[in-house]
Amino acid sequence: MRDPGEEDAGVLVGGDAYGGVKLPSRPRRPLKSAKARRRNVILAGLMSTGILVTTGVVWATPRQIGTVDAGVTAPSHGAENILLVGIDKRDDLTRQQQNRLKLGREAGQRTDTMMVIHLSEDHRRVTVVSLPRDTWTAIPGRGDHKINSAYQFGGPKLTKQTVESATGLQINRYIEVNILGFIDVVDSLGGVTVCTPVSINDPKTGLNLPAGTHQLRGMQALGYARTRATARSDLDRIDRQQQVISALLNRALSADTLANPGKLASFVNSTLSTVKVDPDDGLIGLATQLRDVSLDDVKFAEVPLSDVDFKAPTGESAVLWDKQAARDMFTRINADQDPAATPTPSVTPSKKPTATASLAPGRITVEVKNGTTITGLGARTKDALVAYGFKVPGKAGNAAEPDYAKTVVRYGEGDEAAAKVVADVIPGAELRKTDAKGIEVIVGRDQPKIQKRQPTATPSAKPSVTATTKTAMQNICKKQS
């Protein structure tokens, strides 16, 4: 991965970053219980892809994790807010490394990926909010700029202050992650499985993937997490980063990894070498408090946006938050509540909000199966749903029984609202709750014609992103092993 004689270097998931930290190796301690090992893996998995969540490394090879001064004060107990950033600092990389990663040679430092991670008071639930790097916001003492400029202006401390000002949250921990380390982490697990509903061809990152499900090694996974070469640019990239995080967690928690001490140690140790933290005494202590968090307890959210095509006074393209909706969301998160809870409407009170109003098709993943003997019906339905905006990875399959007279939209626990969005565009479709995860459309002999997406009543208005959520388990592709 690195050239002989070069300093350890790296870039962050979702972009570029600096600085590997060379750490002394010490003898490995004996493995603890299976439960402790599971806790250890979850923390390592989330940390490695840009988020810290739930485990420690008490049993793993002890290391001196890199430190950085962000001016935070860790709480002694209770809920915590963690700021995780990745640093775009290309001037620390050799020309060969920059060429390999297709980075260019622009100097300077900016946070390229930024996430706020909230641990509930009982440390049993985790909420992760991705902050768009192009967010136009006030940077204390510097005026209005993109949020990813805060690091360039004032390093970790100003970055932390800027996020606190924008979100209203008090940041208790700060973590930086680098990308070359991320590549090593992915490769230590044998790669990850991702699924894209659209083809991606991005010469800037060297990524060329057709629509469908793919097994990616470290370099490709980095390109998949970094690329902005799809319709929603940075917003789609946030979705892909969350998918990669979930895929890594699922792979790390698989029996293949947990039952293989060498693979497990390689994964954890690769992860530790990618991070710098403030304070420097918190990860192990935090890990001991987080015992029973599962993939279903890790929830991802996006900041509500009012304008995704804002032209800043500087001429830059940026995004604007819906300030009231964003503040409401962060207030709910800080109170250990569901970030996507629908607030009481303050405008047009005579019109009742629909249960599906806050769920955009682009945030909903659907599996399509042909429930008939009509050749090509599943593929045609998939194409129509993709055209509408839904994510439909992979090819349409066949139902176990080809005797469906009517099209059915099946959904699991927690997916009812999203399933209603799907059913609303399939005339006559029947909603049916099941024990399975996710949303599945089984096309019947009624051969429904998917409605075409209609333009909004005010086509000049800027599109927005509302506070929808998805768990790590829901993010995992069906074929992830």
Side-chain angles (χ1 to χ4, degrees):
M1 185 59 63
R2 296 175 178 82
D3 302 317
E6 290 178 351
E7 289 297 318
D8 208 10
V11 281
L12 182 89
V13 62
D16 333 318
Y18 73 89
V21 180
K22 292 204 170 181
L23 304 173
S25 177
R26 299 179 184 174
R28 187 190 308 168
R29 294 181 182 177
L31 293 179
K32 299 294 185 180
S33 67
K35 189 173 184 180
R37 292 163 64 195
R38 179 183 177 86
R39 293 199 305 268
N40 298 340
V41 166
I42 297 180
L43 174 58
L46 292 170
M47 221 165 37
S48 68
T49 51
I51 115 172
L52 164 73
V53 176
T54 63
T55 71
V57 288
V58 177
W59 59 269
T61 303
R63 289 179 177 266
Q64 178 65 43
I65 297 176
T67 61
V68 63
D69 182 9
V72 303
T73 303
S76 57
H77 62 276
E80 297 188 23
N81 297 308
I82 301 168
L83 173 61
L84 186 139
V85 303
I87 311 304
D88 183 346
K89 185 176 185 292
R90 308 176 184 195
D91 42 332
D92 271 5
L93 301 178
T94 67
R95 184 180 296 274
Q96 184 175 359
Q97 287 171 324
Q98 294 190 29
N99 290 340
R100 185 191 307 157
L101 294 170
K102 298 184 180 295
L103 300 179
R105 297 193 63 83
E106 180 183 356
Q109 303 178 49
R110 293 175 182 84
T111 49
D112 191 78
T113 295
M114 189 177 297
M115 298 180 181
V116 174
I117 304 142
H118 176 78
L119 307 183
S120 64
E121 185 172 7
D122 58 9
H123 286 191
R124 292 178 179 271
R125 287 168 290 119
V126 179
T127 303
V128 183
V129 184
S130 298
L131 309 183
R133 56 175 282 178
D134 292 339
T135 294
W136 192 255
T137 191
I139 296 179
R142 293 286 185 163
D144 291 345
H145 295 275
K146 287 186 179 181
I147 199 168
N148 70 335
S149 298
Y151 195 99
Q152 185 179 34
F153 289 141
K157 287 186 177 181
L158 186 57
T159 301
K160 189 235 7 168
Q161 293 169 7
T162 301
V163 171
E164 287 182 332
S165 176
T167 64
L169 301 177
Q170 180 181 7
I171 300 300
N172 308 116
R173 298 183 189 274
Y174 175 92
I175 302 175
E176 287 182 8
V177 186
N178 73 63
I179 279 190
L180 284 185
F182 165 77
I183 294 173
D184 291 339
V185 169
V186 174
D187 285 338
S188 75
L189 292 173
V192 293
T193 303
V194 301
C195 42
T196 173
V198 297
S199 61
I200 303 174
N201 186 1
D202 184 6
K204 290 183 178 180
T205 63
L207 185 71
N208 190 346
L209 291 178
T213 301
H214 303 276
Q215 178 77 9
L216 303 183
R217 298 292 294 185
M219 192 74 74
Q220 280 187 304
L222 172 59
Y224 184 77
R226 286 181 56 215
T227 183
R228 293 166 32 137
T230 50
R232 297 196 313 154
S233 187
D234 195 45
L235 302 181
D236 281 341
R237 188 175 71 160
I238 286 174
D239 286 345
R240 284 189 291 272
Q241 289 176 357
Q242 294 176 352
Q243 185 186 123
V244 169
I245 291 169
S246 301
L248 266 179
L249 278 176
N250 193 49
R251 178 60 58 85
L253 289 169
S254 69
D256 179 58
T257 301
L258 293 175
N260 186 329
K263 188 174 184 179
L264 193 56
S266 175
F267 166 61
V268 174
N269 292 336
S270 295
T271 298
L272 293 184
S273 68
T274 71
V275 301
K276 291 184 177 182
V277 300
D278 181 24
D280 62 0
D281 61 350
L283 292 185
I284 302 301
L286 176 63
T288 61
Q289 305 173 46
L290 302 163
R291 295 180 172 84
D292 301 314
V293 176
S294 69
L295 296 186
D296 285 318
D297 299 317
V298 180
K299 182 172 290 188
F300 296 94
E302 291 185 20
V303 178
L305 304 178
S306 63
D307 191 343
V308 298
D309 192 23
F310 174 69
K311 297 301 179 184
T314 59
E316 300 171 275
S317 295
V319 298
L320 294 179
W321 294 8
D322 182 327
K323 291 185 177 180
Q324 186 58 53
R327 186 55 62 99
D328 289 345
M329 182 190 74
F330 285 114
T331 298
R332 290 193 295 272
I333 289 174
N334 212 38
D336 290 348
Q337 298 174 1
D338 183 356
T342 304
T344 303
S346 57
V347 182
T348 59
S350 60
K351 184 178 180 180
K352 295 183 179 179
T354 64
T356 62
S358 64
L359 290 170
R363 295 285 294 165
I364 301 174
T365 299
V366 181
E367 184 178 6
V368 175
K369 292 183 179 179
N370 188 348
T372 75
T373 57
I374 303 172
T375 302
L377 181 57
R380 293 198 300 272
T381 303
K382 174 202 167 172
D383 291 344
L385 289 170
V386 170
Y388 196 92
F390 293 100
K391 294 181 178 180
V392 191
K395 296 181 180 180
N398 293 314
E401 300 293 337
D403 57 356
Y404 283 77
K406 190 174 182 180
T407 298
V408 176
V409 178
R410 293 155 50 101
Y411 63 93
E413 185 69 34
D415 288 324
E416 181 176 5
K420 286 181 178 179
V421 175
V422 178
D424 283 346
V425 305
I426 305 177
E430 174 187 332
L431 277 169
R432 187 178 300 171
K433 186 175 181 180
T434 69
D435 293 333
K437 295 287 184 182
I439 300 172
E440 183 180 70
V441 174
I442 301 181
V443 192
R445 292 193 298 273
D446 54 346
Q447 301 187 53
K449 292 184 178 181
I450 309 300
Q451 298 177 12
K452 292 184 177 180
R453 197 167 189 176
Q454 299 297 320
T456 60
T458 55
S460 60
K462 305 295 185 182
S464 64
V465 173
T466 54
T468 57
T469 61
K470 183 180 290 188
T471 68
M473 182 63 76
Q474 291 169 326
N475 268 332
I476 295 170
C477 298
K478 292 279 187 176
K479 294 183 180 181
Q480 172 73 29
S481 60

